[in-house]
Amino acid sequence: LPYRILDEPLSEWRKFIDNNMPILKRAIVQSNRGYEIEAENGTFRLDLLSNATSASQGKMVMLAKDGDAVTLHIEMPQAARKNIVLRYTSCVRGASCALKLNNSKTQALTLEPTINEGTFRENRLGIELSLKKGTNTLTISHDSCSVGVDKIRIRSVEPYDQQAVPDFSDFYCRIG
């Protein structure tokens, strides 16, 4: 619970959340886990496969120039909205990947830089996509700068009723 020390003025934390963390205002719950698909198990030109000690299976697909892409197949028992998280390496600020789902362009995925090309990270928020029942084809392709793709994680996204959840954010404990 928020707290105040003596007569400390109330903060504008709600405005901060609205401006800087809009995902926290959405009426969804996301899992942090999910099933994973390794990039090296996808479809790509063989010259794009590289050894990478820090990659989850010791291999990555390097997307370094226009035309470089890896295609992954996602099996869904039913249609659902999912959050796709990419584990990647790219030392360049502003690197991005273009994504296509079932041959339709989605938004580009902007990536934060990693420390070096031997270090991998996951993009923070991922990208929400509506997957159909059956086989979905996700193509990750070079957009700007070099990106090494290790794997993707498919996480659940579930809506919830905000009215049914108690809001304790107006309660505080006074210390002093």
Side-chain angles (χ1 to χ4, degrees):
L1 295 174
Y3 63 88
R4 291 174 57 197
I5 299 175
L6 296 175
D7 291 322
E8 176 185 2
L10 292 173
S11 70
E12 298 293 328
W13 66 270
R14 284 188 177 92
K15 285 183 184 175
F16 178 84
I17 296 295
D18 290 344
N19 295 334
N20 297 298
M21 300 174 198
I23 194 165
L24 295 178
K25 300 292 280 184
R26 295 183 54 210
I28 61 166
V29 176
Q30 286 186 154
S31 68
N32 217 13
R33 298 181 182 207
Y35 72 92
E36 298 175 345
I37 300 174
E38 294 287 332
E40 61 268 19
N41 294 333
T43 306
F44 53 89
R45 286 192 340 259
L46 286 178
D47 64 325
L48 301 180
L49 189 63
S50 301
N51 291 323
T53 310
S54 298
S56 58
Q57 300 292 321
K59 303 230 181 263
M60 71 174 170
V61 176
M62 192 64 165
L63 310 177
K65 60 185 185 293
D66 289 340
D68 290 354
V70 57
T71 300
L72 305 170
H73 300 286
I74 304 170
E75 294 294 329
M76 294 294 296
Q78 63 187 26
R81 189 128 180 102
K82 296 290 184 178
N83 183 281
I84 309 297
V85 175
L86 180 69
R87 187 167 191 265
Y88 69 93
T89 183
S90 180
C91 303
V92 183
R93 186 174 302 279
S96 64
C97 292
L99 298 179
K100 274 184 171 178
L101 179 63
N102 300 323
N103 291 321
S104 297
K105 268 190 171 180
T106 66
Q107 67 192 58
L109 191 58
T110 303
L111 306 171
E112 295 178 22
T114 56
I115 296 169
N116 56 49
E117 284 203 9
T119 305
F120 288 82
R121 71 177 298 164
E122 292 183 347
N123 63 315
R124 290 183 187 200
L125 300 178
I127 184 169
E128 281 187 38
L129 298 173
S130 293
L131 302 177
K132 65 179 184 169
K133 181 179 179 176
T135 303
N136 292 269
T137 304
L138 178 68
T139 302
I140 305 167
S141 58
H142 175 268
D143 189 39
S144 69
C145 309
S146 294
V147 175
V149 179
D150 181 19
K151 64 182 175 183
I152 63 167
R153 183 180 315 143
I154 297 103
R155 305 189 307 187
S156 294
V157 178
E158 299 294 332
Y160 73 91
D161 180 10
Q162 285 182 319
Q163 303 303 320
V165 179
D167 179 8
F168 295 103
S169 64
D170 285 333
F171 291 82
Y172 63 91
C173 300
R174 189 173 181 143
I175 300 171

